[in-house]
Amino acid sequence: MSRRLLTGWGRTAPTVADVWEAASTEDIRTATVTAGRRGVLARGLGRSYGDAAQNGGGVVLEVGERSVHLDRSTGIVAAGAGVSLDELIRVLLPQGFFVPVTPGTRQVTVGGAIAADIHGKNHHADGSWANHVVDLDLVLSNGDVVTVGPDSDAPLFWATVGGMGLTGVITSCRFRAILVQSGRMSVDTWRTANLDDTMALMVERDRDYRYTVAWIDATGSGSRLGRGVVTMANHAAVDAAGADKSLQFNDTPRVGVPPVVPGGVLNALTIRAFNELWFRKAPRQRSGELQGISEFFHPLDMVRDWNRLYGRGGMLQYQFVVPDGAEDTLRRATEQLVSGGASSFLTVLKRFGPGNAGYLSFPFAGWTLTLDVPTGVDGLSTLLDDLDDRLVEVGGRVYLAKDSRLAATHLSRMYPRLDDWRAVCDRVDPAGVFQSDLSRRLGLRSFTHHSTPLEAR
Amino acid sequence: MKDALGNVQGILLLGGGSDIGQAIVREILRGRRPARVVLAARGTGSCGAFVSELTGMGHHVEVVGFDANTPASHEAVLDMAAAGGDLDVVVSAWGVLGAPQDTLDADPIAAAAVATANYVGVVSAGLETARVLRAQGHGTLVHLSSVAAERARRANFVYGSSKAGSDAFMQGLADSLVGSGVRVLVVRPGFVRSKMTAGMKGQPFSTTPEAVAAATVKALAGNAHTVWVPGILRMVFLVFRHLPRAVWRRMPV
Ligand SMILES: Cc1cc2nc3c(=O)[nH]c(=O)nc-3n(C[C@H](O)[C@H](O)[C@H](O)COP(=O)(O)OP(=O)(O)OC[C@H]3O[C@@H](n4cnc5c(N)ncnc54)[C@H](O)[C@@H]3O)c2cc1C
Ligand SMILES: NC(=O)c1ccc[n+]([C@@H]2O[C@H](COP(=O)([O-])OP(=O)(O)OC[C@H]3O[C@@H](n4cnc5c(N)ncnc54)[C@H](OP(=O)(O)O)[C@@H]3O)[C@@H](O)[C@H]2O)c1
């Protein structure tokens, strides 16, 4: 056990916790039943941007379960919660399988994938992580270990996926992998003139591709607002990829960023230049380009610790979704972000398919916009609060795995099933053993702002 | 919880009636979302207006009784303040100037009372604050020291020495908290126009509670452990500190 200062990927609002490496389920049970007032929380690889994986003053568990087993006849994978998607891909791909969902980095754990119910570029086709789960093992606040899934204690299952670690500690998961013929992606690319153009292309062509996403030029304004580069892809067939290259994992060497970048390299000026360059570099249209897994899904993984480029103040990621039909809100939000100087080096637009039954799962049918912003931007807090006001008017929400600044008052309007989720938590964790900085900041468990029942222990 | 953009959710002001303390709280909350503010004060008299002001702005205000001179009560004060949620910032702002030095020269009891409020109370309340912040793994303690702490003067050495003691205590406390997630910020203002100095003749580099608050909030956003207000006093006292005693004794300040 060691006391450590923890932050999320955005490197903001650090807090100190007792970090335990929990090698076995027994370790997790011990930590859980001996929890003090500040409770316990599981942490994966800390790739959530805000404070979801922090528990100031409490215990933080790093789950050591790292086994991976693939049943080739069914495509079902049994994986320890501490396994990263990077490790999974290295095991699965040579055997002709791939993870059902991958985020923009491979450096996330299975536990983190479940707790945030992560989505990828294939959400419109395949849904989010939970849609592929057969069942999972969970250590509850009283130390009991239960197996839950869509067919066994469904309420607890749907409270755990997207539940940000607050129902218990996940130790393992069985999920369905997808079959692939090669480790290459066949990618089609378009450059678009404005937001309408970008959205129309995605609506029209989505159904022909398993993976789609648009990068938006965050500096384009006026008639160029929302111009960008749309990429759509499918896993390439063996013949296209070339027999010698099929099923190889093309790992790219990772370059690092020095530990201290005092002022930060990413500022309004460099971000502007990058956006312009990226837009111009893209082909007007290109089809059938073969790309590797990293190149297509995880380009950022090629630079280790790139979050340090933002310097001491850190950064945040603002990701929201608005339902189909709220395109006007999306347009106005994009306008507001561009004119408010919330310059972003990476702005991504994606069309979601239908959501699932997860009480706090983020995705639902509509549009999701994601942007990285340095925290030093003047007036950022008010700008984002104003955007949140607009989002709730149309039934939109922000993604908790990315959040580091939402006003607690917006939570129940963004997540209308919050009370149902709380009811499940009250059943399995009446004393509030599972806590996080996120849960305290947003009052996720209703009693967070009063003394928790744990204090009586 | 403090968030990524500096919004705070819980503030405790020890010395709820202090002009400088109130200005700091006001500055932290300026243009910010509603927060929980706990005012700890001897009586409600000096902070009643501030309660209405904060409530009117949508903040949730709690008032708890606090007397710096009774260390045994400080544990309960901090527990009460922390019961309602995490404390992101604790401002320790009480203090007394005491009677003029020539009066105190002849009144050891009154002089000791100044030392008790300004130093002894800081020790116990400071340690209790550290306990609470350490337990939550984050938080900042802002302590109102004074330039008088840098070198005691003939003209008010009881006050000066009590501030010097508390300043030294806070530096040590800060060091003891390294690695705990808790930070201590020591604020050293020069002459500030407030209740404490009402009717007194101003001094060179006189400043206002608002200026102290602005400098403090600016320092909170960075990593500093000490802030002088106005900033030039840091240089001035660098010189003062090294003046020969015989010269210092005769300084008109
Ligand atoms: C570059 C980058 C790109 C990203 N792209 C995407 C994207 O495209 N789509 C997307 O959905 N997300 C994306 N994310 C966010 C990321 O996928 C999620 O935040 C994910 O949860 C991180 O996993 P982690 O293992 O690092 O978990 P952590 O960040 O350590 O923890 C996240 C949450 O999971 C909980 N948790 C972790 N392990 C367990 C466990 N064993 N049991 C119970 N709870 C647990 C924690 O308590 C916490 O609440 C991206 C992040 C980065 C840095
Ligand atoms: N003003 C200056 O020139 C100056 C310069 C440098 C440093 N400082 C320091 O800054 C701090 C704030 O000063 P200020 O100018 O804001 O003074 P202020 O307005 O007079 O406030 C001081 C507060 O301390 C309270 N207090 C005094 N003794 C107490 C005790 N035993 N227990 C609890 N509360 C007590 C007083 O409470 P009541 O209202 O009940 O009396 C008063 O509200 C002090 O520490 C002071 O030493 C001031």
Side-chain angles (χ1 to χ4, degrees):
Chain A
M1 190 178 85
S2 64
R3 265 181 104 69
R4 254 171 46 201
L5 191 67
L6 300 176
T7 69
W9 191 245
R11 299 166 58 87
T12 53
T15 58
V16 166
D18 285 328
V19 182
W20 294 22
E21 279 171 39
S24 66
T25 302
E26 207 40 50
D27 287 353
I28 298 172
R29 298 183 59 207
T30 309
T32 304
V33 299
T34 58
R37 303 178 35 197
R38 301 288 287 191
V40 173
L41 182 77
R43 178 176 172 102
L45 284 165
R47 255 47 174 203
S48 42
Y49 277 74
D51 48 10
Q54 293 169 229
N55 183 22
V59 170
V60 166
L61 295 175
E62 290 181 335
V63 177
E65 313 268 357
R66 298 279 279 268
S67 62
V68 180
H69 177 262
L70 166 69
D71 180 339
R72 297 184 66 153
S73 61
T74 58
I76 291 178
V77 180
V83 181
S84 71
L85 264 55
D86 182 75
E87 291 163 317
L88 274 178
I89 292 171
R90 284 170 203 279
V91 172
L92 298 182
L93 194 56
Q95 308 189 61
F97 288 91
F98 195 63
V99 289
V101 171
T102 178
T105 171
R106 288 186 303 279
Q107 304 304 326
V108 303
T109 63
V110 167
I114 299 167
D117 192 16
I118 61 168
H119 58 269
K121 296 180 181 182
N122 58 341
H123 188 273
H124 66 288
D126 296 319
S128 52
W129 185 270
N131 297 33
H132 307 272
V133 173
V134 179
D135 54 28
L136 55 87
D137 292 338
L138 188 67
V139 179
L140 299 180
S141 63
N142 61 4
D144 286 358
V145 185
V146 294
T147 302
V148 298
D151 304 317
S152 48
D153 200 344
L156 181 52
F157 173 75
W158 292 114
T160 301
V161 300
M164 306 312 290
L166 298 170
T167 57
V169 179
I170 302 155
T171 57
S172 66
C173 168
R174 290 197 303 149
F175 64 90
R176 281 176 229 93
I178 61 175
L179 273 169
V180 294
Q181 288 188 25
S182 80
R184 290 286 180 282
M185 305 302 296
S186 171
V187 185
D188 294 354
T189 306
W190 295 262
R191 212 156 84 172
T192 56
N194 54 44
L195 195 61
D196 285 339
D197 197 16
T198 309
M199 292 199 288
L201 184 65
M202 296 183 93
V203 171
E204 206 176 300
R205 306 300 303 273
D206 253 4
R207 67 184 74 91
D208 302 332
Y209 299 85
R210 190 162 200 165
Y211 301 95
T212 67
V213 75
W215 171 83
I216 301 286
D217 176 355
T219 61
S221 55
S223 63
R224 292 168 164 180
L225 182 82
R227 71 175 186 179
V229 181
V230 177
T231 48
M232 304 202 181
N234 289 308
H235 291 281
V238 202
D239 47 347
D244 56 324
K245 287 201 177 144
S246 64
L247 301 181
Q248 261 178 31
F249 181 62
N250 57 319
D251 190 23
T252 357
R254 300 169 84 204
V255 274
V257 171
V260 187
V261 187
V265 175
L266 291 176
N267 52 44
L269 217 67
T270 55
I271 288 171
R272 192 171 184 90
F274 170 83
N275 276 270
E276 190 70 36
L277 191 81
W278 198 255
F279 182 78
R280 297 200 176 281
K281 168 184 146 322
R284 228 166 260 292
Q285 187 184 346
R286 178 172 57 200
S287 44
E289 184 199 359
L290 287 181
Q291 291 188 2
I293 298 290
S294 292
E295 195 184 347
F296 182 70
F297 290 108
H298 318 114
L300 288 169
D301 281 359
M302 295 182 208
V303 186
R304 203 163 13 93
D305 298 335
W306 57 266
N307 54 340
R308 292 202 170 124
L309 293 172
Y310 285 89
R312 196 170 274 141
M315 54 127 171
L316 60 80
Q317 190 170 82
Y318 186 63
Q319 179 172 9
F320 67 82
V321 56
V322 290
D324 284 329
E327 285 75 12
D328 267 354
T329 307
L330 174 67
R331 185 171 301 107
R332 269 185 288 136
T334 313
E335 254 162 28
Q336 243 180 301
L337 286 161
V338 169
S339 64
S343 41
S344 165
F345 144 77
L346 253 196
T347 308
V348 170
L349 180 69
K350 160 83 198 149
R351 190 155 178 259
F352 277 157
N356 60 30
Y359 297 100
L360 300 185
S361 279
F362 169 65
F364 58 67
W367 297 94
T368 181
L369 188 77
T370 309
L371 54 155
D372 284 353
V373 194
T375 54
V377 171
D378 273 345
L380 189 57
S381 185
T382 330
L383 173 66
L384 298 182
D385 284 355
D386 288 349
L387 286 181
D388 289 342
D389 288 341
R390 298 194 170 195
L391 291 186
V392 293
E393 282 167 19
V394 295
R397 59 169 65 137
V398 301
Y399 189 9
L400 296 180
K402 309 285 181 75
D403 181 57
S404 57
R405 36 69 44 196
L406 181 68
T409 41
H410 279 315
L411 186 71
S412 59
R413 291 189 65 193
M414 290 189 170
Y415 288 89
R417 301 181 66 208
L418 183 64
D419 280 338
D420 299 334
W421 177 81
R422 283 174 174 161
V424 178
C425 292
D426 289 347
R427 163 162 70 91
V428 295
D429 183 16
V433 167
F434 298 107
Q435 304 178 20
S436 64
D437 287 1
L438 176 84
S439 77
R440 277 185 284 268
R441 180 167 58 81
L442 294 180
L444 273 169
R445 294 292 304 272
S446 35
F447 48 65
T448 310
H449 272 289
H450 317 290
S451 49
T452 72
L454 250 196
E455 289 181 16
R457 294 213 322 207
Chain B
M1 288 300 310
K2 191 171 117 188
D3 75 7
L5 297 177
N7 292 297
V8 296
Q9 286 188 316
I11 304 179
L12 166 62
L13 174 59
L14 291 165
S18 149
D19 285 346
I20 299 177
Q22 292 184 356
I24 291 174
V25 172
R26 215 176 265 127
E27 183 67 17
I28 292 174
L29 293 176
R30 191 158 58 89
R32 297 286 185 173
R33 299 172 188 157
R36 185 175 73 94
V37 182
V38 187
L39 302 176
R42 271 203 290 216
T44 46
S46 58
C47 59
F50 195 45
V51 173
S52 322
E53 178 188 331
L54 292 175
T55 313
M57 292 167 68
H59 301 293
H60 169 83
V61 185
E62 296 164 27
V63 180
V64 298
F66 167 67
D67 185 348
N69 296 355
T70 57
S73 66
H74 294 173
E75 179 182 3
V77 172
L78 265 298
D79 282 345
M80 266 188 280
D86 283 13
L87 296 171
D88 299 307
V89 184
V90 177
V91 185
S92 103
W94 76 90
V96 289
L97 195 53
Q101 184 61 50
D102 39 11
T103 313
L104 292 182
D105 285 347
D107 188 348
I109 305 290
V114 171
T116 305
N118 289 352
Y119 176 65
V120 177
V122 167
V123 171
S124 53
L127 288 171
E128 290 297 349
T129 302
R131 170 181 64 84
V132 163
L133 298 189
R134 193 190 276 279
Q136 60 183 32
H138 71 99
T140 302
L141 169 55
V142 177
H143 176 68
L144 266 303
S145 175
S146 165
V147 294
E150 190 69 0
R151 196 169 184 187
R153 301 190 280 130
R154 167 66 189 99
N156 70 354
F157 65 88
V158 171
Y159 175 79
S161 64
S162 70
K163 293 307 267 186
S166 72
D167 190 294
F169 168 81
M170 284 293 168
Q171 292 179 47
L173 187 67
D175 288 344
S176 80
L177 287 166
V178 168
S180 70
V182 181
R183 171 181 167 200
V184 178
L185 175 65
V186 172
V187 184
R188 294 189 188 136
F191 184 94
V192 185
R193 301 198 172 283
S194 72
K195 276 202 304 298
M196 183 176 275
T197 56
M200 291 171 63
K201 185 159 65 68
Q203 285 178 8
F205 306 119
S206 287
T207 184
T208 60
E210 291 68 35
V212 178
T216 303
V217 171
K218 196 160 159 241
L220 279 174
N223 296 325
H225 49 67
T226 314
V227 55
W228 297 74
V229 198
I232 179 122
L233 287 178
R234 178 163 166 250
M235 291 305 154
V236 173
F237 272 79
L238 194 66
V239 175
F240 281 3
R241 201 187 168 83
H242 295 98
L243 290 178
R245 277 270 283 282
V247 177
W248 176 240
R249 194 168 61 231
R250 296 186 179 86
M251 288 286 288
V253 291

